[in-house]
Amino acid sequence: QKLGLDFEQLENRNLKLTFTLIDPRDHARPFSFLLLINSHDQYEVQACNPHIPALPLLLSTLNSTNDFSGFIIAMRQQFKATVM
């Protein structure tokens, strides 16, 4: 929580990631997405709030490189761009 990132494991191999400390006007405002691994062992995002237009490209990169930490960093940057 102090780092502004929370992981919540849900059923069916789903993982909810919630960022805070992004919006300078409201540090508690959540920015989140629901990540899962599908039956083809590919990452998918089922829900993303707020919407990130670059998400398909970010997911494609994640699935081709398996760079999970890079994906998390990129998502945070995209969320930050929505409030700048």
Side-chain angles (χ1 to χ4, degrees):
Q1 289 286 340
K2 289 182 181 181
L3 298 176
L5 177 59
D6 183 53
F7 292 86
E8 181 182 357
Q9 187 166 356
L10 306 174
E11 57 188 54
N12 297 329
R13 297 170 48 166
N14 294 339
L15 185 64
K16 182 177 182 183
L17 291 90
T18 303
F19 293 99
T20 54
L21 307 176
I22 289 179
D23 187 340
R25 295 177 305 271
D26 182 1
H27 289 280
R29 178 181 169 198
F31 295 75
S32 63
F33 60 97
L34 183 63
L35 187 68
L36 65 91
I37 299 174
N38 67 22
S39 60
H40 302 289
D41 288 329
Q42 296 286 303
Y43 290 101
E44 284 183 25
V45 170
Q46 296 235 318
C48 183
N49 186 30
H51 173 72
I52 300 296
L55 184 56
L57 177 59
L58 297 176
L59 271 174
S60 177
T61 302
L62 172 61
N63 281 311
S64 64
T65 65
N66 207 30
D67 181 7
F68 188 75
S69 62
F71 176 74
I72 299 303
I73 292 167
M75 286 297 290
R76 185 175 191 87
Q77 291 169 340
Q78 292 294 312
F79 283 139
K80 281 187 94 161
T82 67
V83 295
M84 297 299 171

